[in-house]
Amino acid sequence: MSIVPYLAGASAILALLLAVYFYRVVRAADVGTPQMSQIMFAIQQGSRTFLRREYTWVAGFVVIMVVLILIFLDWGRPWGALAYLGGAVLSATAGWAGMTVATMANARTAQAARSGPQKALPLAFRGGAVMGFSVAGLSLLGLSFAYLLFVEWLQVDDAIQVVTAFGLGASSIALFSRVGGGIYTKAADVGADLVGKVEAGIPEDDPRNPATIADNVGDNVGDVAGMGADLFESYSGSLIAPMAYLVFAAVSADSDFDITASTEFRNVLLFPFLVAFCGMIASVIGALIVRSGPKSDVHSLSRALHRGTNLAMFLTIGGVFLTSAIVFDGNASWALPLAVVCGILAGYQIGKVAEFWTSDHYKPVRSIAKQAETGPATTVLSGISAGMVSVAASVVLIATAVGLAWWAGDTALGGMIPGLPGGEFSGGIYGVAISAIGMLATTGVIVAVDAYGPIADNAGGIAEMAELPSEVREVTDSLDSLGNTTAAIAKGFAVGSAAVTALALFSAFEQAIYREDGFLNLDLTQLDVFIGLFLGAMLPFLFASLTIDAVGRAANRMIEEVRRQFREIPGLREGQPGVQPDSARCVDISTKASLREMLIPGGLAVFVPLIIGFIDEDALGGFLAGALVTGFALAIYMSNAGGAWDNAKKYIEAGHHGGKGSEAHKAAVVGDTVGDPFKDTAGPSMNILIKVMTIVSLIFASAFV
């Protein structure tokens, strides 16, 4: 098994080479008319400006965290700080690379749509695949190198804790990228929709709307760069959690235990890299087979995208069973792969639940569209109900997957640490942690399918602003509608993995406390644990409130600016030739507002667990448990409700219930506007929130005790 980190690193390099190949394919495509090129350039400039400013602000936070690591953590001098910086830099790099290509692919996809969806879909997917394989490749390459450097080559003390700091670095970037990008994109989207479609009665992405460019920029900084950083962190955390739990349990049993001495222990320790290797190779193969067929209907397009994802999952399962049979003996040879299968199937099924509740091919979305005939109130109520009901199915799936993965891990490893005489640990928790890797083993193709959506959305906006024929917009709308569903599916994978990864990280936190001769009491009859539980249950609601309010405040500034331009620029609303809106002003407003608004929510996720931990670690244990449960439920509810409202609007725009401009359409636009911060700001931020708080607690456990 000593070769496994090298194989994982090699598969990561292969993924990055595939990203380079797809980048060249996208760059070689026809960009279209000079007007399309000009619009694309404006979106690129706005996206790069935002990301540069955001990374400048986040750099200050990174410096603060480096100082805290150096001050409070003995093992953090200097290796922990170095690993933390590595995770942050690679996460930011992945987001920048993916956003750069996405802003190149939008106009090219619009141009390809002139020839039909058969040509446009593969191009948009390949643009998204650059993001996907940059995320997965850089994450796995960074972790493989960190493990080899600190554990194998330098053999530093507390090496796994140092590797864990890599995950905290990734989490820091992901937290602010998701929150900041989410606030930006929804402030622009809400402002553009309410003033443009509802008040002015002009189409979506109309070139007369000053907020249209800002809206398209938001798709890239929120749904591409932010989502990429999110999945980078999720992927890194899923690999770190089982290794951290195993090592902390071993060292708490025997402080002199050498984690590289026992072959049996090393096999189990490196199993996460083995799963990642199989998943990466499978993802590369799955991405290469995505082709659109001769039919252009949405069902055929959906099958084309899902074909790659499904093949990647099946190949991962086969690869994990095959390699495990070679490496392990006895129950572990089949039970550990079974834990991986539990994660893969749970992630897939949570995605299918999201698809059922957010696709206009099923009853929930069509019911919301029907309710729009009676006004915005019933539209909003039906969307809230749909989102809440979807939580029940997702929770049942997660509970089932955790139970089965726990049984598989316990069957494989029991309660004794492999290779260590004495020292109890839970093979069940290790199995649950492994199931999280299963959910994200095919991250490359999952993110590719997710990032495809914003590219298709941007392509539609460019088609509208460049005044391309109506049939081009019909093609991009069909791709965009499919993108909303694929995005909901990817969010299902992300939030599902967040729940089980946070559980594993929580268990590692408990073992880290034991290692420092402390004791974590989670008895709910104890006052400090009870108070911590309620504080943790409260925080996701407070976090969601802050981010939604931030969207509202930023959107208010955007709405006032759009109204001002319609009022003060003669001929703009009428579309007189030569009259152009001041789009740069709207981009600047959204950028400044989102960066200012992201600081308080982002700071809460890091500093609240630190404050509670330094006061009482038992209260922190209850706090993390409460945040995990409510954060997961809120993430599912808000993401699915928002997706349902969005596709209900698109279902009406396709000609149902009166079509565009009808009263039902206006009500659906209001519902979609309510859902925007749900599905693209507050909801996706929840899985970052629960993992950031848990990994911060794990990193600083020794300081708390």
Side-chain angles (χ1 to χ4, degrees):
M1 285 287 280
S2 59
I3 197 175
V4 168
Y6 294 95
L7 291 176
S11 69
I13 293 173
L14 178 63
L16 294 173
L17 290 175
L18 182 64
V20 172
Y21 166 72
F22 282 146
Y23 164 74
R24 290 182 174 178
V25 170
V26 171
R27 188 178 62 178
D30 183 8
V31 75
T33 66
Q35 187 179 6
M36 294 168 65
S37 179
Q38 183 180 4
I39 296 169
M40 180 189 72
F41 180 75
I43 295 172
Q44 285 178 331
Q45 289 299 104
S47 300
R48 289 171 181 169
T49 298
F50 172 83
L51 222 55
R52 277 195 295 266
R53 290 189 188 178
E54 181 182 62
Y55 287 168
T56 300
W57 285 48
V58 175
F61 174 82
V62 169
V63 170
I64 293 173
M65 291 302 299
V66 168
V67 171
L68 291 177
I69 290 172
L70 293 173
I71 291 175
F72 289 105
L73 305 176
D74 293 338
W75 55 265
R77 310 182 189 117
W79 303 120
L82 180 63
Y84 173 82
L85 283 173
V89 169
L90 288 181
S91 178
T93 301
W96 182 273
M99 185 210 68
T100 298
V101 178
T103 55
M104 288 173 49
N106 48 21
R108 291 167 168 85
T109 299
Q111 177 66 12
R114 289 174 175 264
S115 303
Q118 295 91 339
K119 187 176 179 181
L121 177 115
L123 188 61
F125 172 79
R126 287 166 182 167
V130 175
M131 176 85 259
F133 287 99
S134 295
V135 165
L138 288 174
S139 177
L140 184 55
L141 183 63
L143 278 173
S144 301
F145 179 76
Y147 175 86
L148 290 170
L149 177 65
F150 298 121
V151 179
E152 301 283 353
W153 302 337
L154 298 179
Q155 297 183 2
V156 303
D157 294 334
D158 302 308
I160 292 298
Q161 279 186 293
V162 173
V163 174
T164 303
F166 180 95
L168 180 59
S171 298
S172 300
I173 299 298
L175 177 65
F176 289 102
S177 292
R178 255 307 185 191
V179 174
I183 293 171
Y184 181 105
T185 183
K186 292 304 106 180
D189 197 1
V190 169
D193 282 355
L194 285 183
V195 182
K197 289 193 287 187
V198 176
E199 292 184 7
I202 60 179
E204 186 172 7
D205 296 315
D206 193 289
R208 291 172 288 175
N209 193 331
T212 296
I213 293 292
D215 185 12
N216 283 273
V217 169
D219 291 335
N220 293 286
V221 300
D223 298 337
V224 177
M227 178 272 301
D230 181 349
L231 269 296
F232 185 102
E233 184 271 344
S234 297
Y235 189 70
S236 301
S238 70
L239 290 172
I240 289 170
M243 293 192 292
Y245 173 71
L246 185 62
V247 170
F248 288 145
V251 176
S252 65
D254 181 358
S255 59
D256 296 324
F257 181 70
D258 183 358
I259 65 174
T260 63
S262 167
T263 300
E264 187 180 12
F265 182 89
R266 179 180 288 195
N267 288 348
V268 179
L269 179 66
L270 294 179
F271 183 65
F273 281 121
L274 186 65
V275 178
F277 165 72
C278 295
M280 190 69 76
I281 298 298
S283 295
V284 169
I285 297 172
L288 289 172
I289 70 156
V290 172
R291 298 285 191 278
S292 55
K295 296 183 179 179
S296 60
D297 59 280
V298 176
H299 286 292
S300 299
L301 298 175
S302 177
R303 282 195 296 270
L305 287 180
H306 292 321
R307 191 182 302 122
T309 305
N310 295 341
L311 178 63
M313 288 191 295
F314 285 124
L315 290 177
T316 300
I317 292 172
V320 171
F321 269 102
L322 177 62
T323 53
S324 297
I326 297 172
V327 172
F328 297 106
D329 297 320
N331 289 339
S333 64
W334 61 267
L336 286 180
L338 183 61
V340 176
V341 173
C342 290
I344 291 176
L345 294 181
Y348 177 78
Q349 289 300 325
I350 291 174
K352 297 306 288 185
V353 167
E355 182 177 10
F356 176 78
W357 291 102
T358 61
S359 172
D360 60 12
H361 296 113
Y362 300 104
K363 183 178 178 181
V365 168
R366 295 189 178 191
S367 176
I368 295 172
K370 175 66 175 175
Q371 293 286 353
E373 293 182 351
T374 54
T378 50
T379 305
V380 171
L381 288 174
S382 57
I384 289 174
S385 174
M388 287 181 172
V389 172
S390 72
V391 174
S394 299
V395 167
V396 170
L397 287 171
I398 282 291
T400 302
V402 166
L404 291 174
W406 187 292
W407 174 82
D410 193 56
T411 301
L413 303 176
M416 302 300 294
I417 298 174
L420 179 64
E424 294 187 1
F425 91 124
S426 172
I429 289 178
Y430 182 83
V432 171
I434 290 299
S435 72
I437 304 176
M439 287 187 186
L440 294 174
T442 57
T443 289
V445 71
I446 290 171
V447 176
V449 171
D450 193 351
Y452 143 88
I455 292 173
D457 192 4
N458 262 207
I462 291 175
E464 185 73 32
M465 286 183 280
E467 300 177 344
L468 298 184
S470 59
E471 55 267 22
V472 175
R473 186 61 198 253
E474 290 174 5
V475 170
T476 59
D477 280 350
S478 67
L479 299 180
D480 184 24
S481 178
L482 175 59
N484 283 326
T485 301
T486 57
I489 292 173
K491 288 170 185 173
F493 274 97
V495 73
S497 68
V500 290
T501 300
L503 175 60
L505 290 171
F506 180 83
S507 301
F509 164 68
E510 184 179 24
Q511 293 295 335
I513 295 290
Y514 294 158
R515 180 194 174 193
E516 301 296 327
D517 297 323
F519 178 75
L520 190 63
N521 179 9
L522 296 179
D523 184 354
L524 291 181
T525 63
Q526 299 300 308
L527 178 63
D528 50 355
V529 179
F530 189 79
I531 291 174
L533 183 71
F534 269 78
L535 289 175
M538 169 274 296
L539 191 66
F541 287 91
L542 176 61
F543 188 87
S545 172
L546 289 171
T547 53
I548 292 173
D549 275 350
V551 170
R553 286 190 294 270
N556 183 65
R557 298 186 186 98
M558 182 67 71
I559 289 170
E560 291 302 321
E561 175 60 23
V562 175
R563 286 172 175 168
R564 182 195 68 79
Q565 292 197 32
F566 276 142
R567 185 175 60 249
E568 297 180 6
I569 300 179
L572 175 61
R573 186 166 183 168
E574 294 75 19
Q576 293 182 5
V579 179
Q580 297 292 328
D582 185 1
S583 299
R585 172 65 178 159
C586 291
V587 171
D588 186 62
I589 287 174
S590 205
T591 298
K592 289 180 178 178
S594 59
L595 294 177
R596 182 170 55 251
E597 297 283 2
M598 76 178 183
L599 294 179
I600 293 178
L604 277 178
V606 175
F607 295 114
V608 169
L610 286 177
I611 293 170
I612 295 176
F614 280 115
I615 295 173
D616 188 321
E617 58 264 27
D618 293 339
L620 178 58
F623 173 85
L624 295 175
L628 169 60
V629 174
T630 58
F632 173 76
L634 272 176
I636 294 291
Y637 155 60
M638 290 190 288
S639 293
N640 288 348
W645 276 314
D646 193 352
N647 276 338
K649 177 200 69 176
K650 286 182 169 60
Y651 182 71
I652 292 174
E653 289 176 344
H656 304 89
H657 304 290
K660 290 184 179 180
S662 65
E663 292 302 315
H665 180 235
K666 292 180 181 179
V669 169
V670 173
D672 178 39
T673 303
V674 174
D676 275 337
F678 272 45
K679 69 181 176 68
D680 291 325
T681 307
S685 299
M686 286 297 139
N687 59 317
I688 297 286
L689 174 71
I690 58 180
K691 280 186 295 183
V692 165
M693 293 193 300
T694 310
I695 200 168
V696 164
S697 302
L698 171 60
I699 292 289
F700 286 88
S702 59
F704 298 154
V705 176

